[in-house]
Amino acid sequence: MGDNYLVVDYIEGKTLFSCLTEGVLVTSDQIKGVDEVISYVKKKGLNPSDIHLNNILVTPKGEVKVIDLARFRETKDCRQWSDLRYAFYHYYSRPLFPKRLPEFFLNFISSLYKKNILRVKGL
């Protein structure tokens, strides 16, 4: 990347959404990796927004890659990532919480969230 351009590349991996529907374990190190990416982007003057399960990839080596990170003219604070992070630490990371969830269930939760019917107390 440079001052006036960004190179787009194919990244092999699974989205966090796919990880949840396929039962691929998501780790706290991967969540921390997303936090690091978001912090870096903010330092570069961008406002991270629209961060959801389909915009975060886990590579075959277990690294995280965040795609489609910013709406460049967006000024409001996006709570999606803080809410997802909260859900990870308060629900998903618990030993008895299922690590594989049906796609229809995740889509249903997402639709409730988008309609502000379901709110999460983000960190």
Side-chain angles (χ1 to χ4, degrees):
M1 78 176 176
D3 290 340
N4 296 314
Y5 68 92
L6 174 69
V7 176
V8 179
D9 195 9
Y10 172 77
I11 302 169
E12 185 178 351
K14 294 183 181 295
T15 65
L16 283 188
F17 186 89
S18 294
C19 289
L20 292 174
T21 60
E22 296 174 20
V24 175
L25 184 66
V26 177
T27 68
S28 61
D29 284 342
Q30 291 165 334
I31 299 302
K32 290 174 189 171
V34 176
D35 284 334
E36 290 170 6
V37 169
I38 291 170
S39 177
Y40 174 80
V41 168
K42 285 181 178 180
K43 287 178 186 173
K44 293 293 183 182
L46 297 174
N47 182 24
S49 62
D50 196 32
I51 301 169
H52 53 76
L53 297 176
N54 285 309
N55 283 356
I56 302 167
L57 297 172
V58 178
T59 69
K61 293 182 180 180
E63 301 170 322
V64 292
K65 304 286 183 179
V66 182
I67 60 172
D68 196 19
L69 187 62
R71 293 180 177 150
F72 296 101
R73 298 184 190 267
E74 186 69 55
T75 57
K76 70 175 185 161
D77 187 31
C78 179
R79 296 187 42 83
Q80 284 178 276
W81 176 246
S82 64
D83 289 342
L84 285 169
R85 183 179 55 227
Y86 181 90
F88 174 84
Y89 287 113
H90 288 86
Y91 302 107
Y92 180 86
S93 63
R94 293 182 185 218
L96 296 179
F97 190 87
K99 303 307 183 239
R100 184 176 187 168
L101 299 166
E103 185 175 335
F104 79 87
F105 178 74
L106 290 173
N107 286 328
F108 177 68
I109 295 298
S110 176
S111 69
L112 294 177
Y113 180 83
K114 287 177 185 175
K115 294 176 184 177
N116 289 320
I117 296 170
L118 175 66
R119 297 306 312 156
V120 177
K121 179 185 173 188
L123 298 173

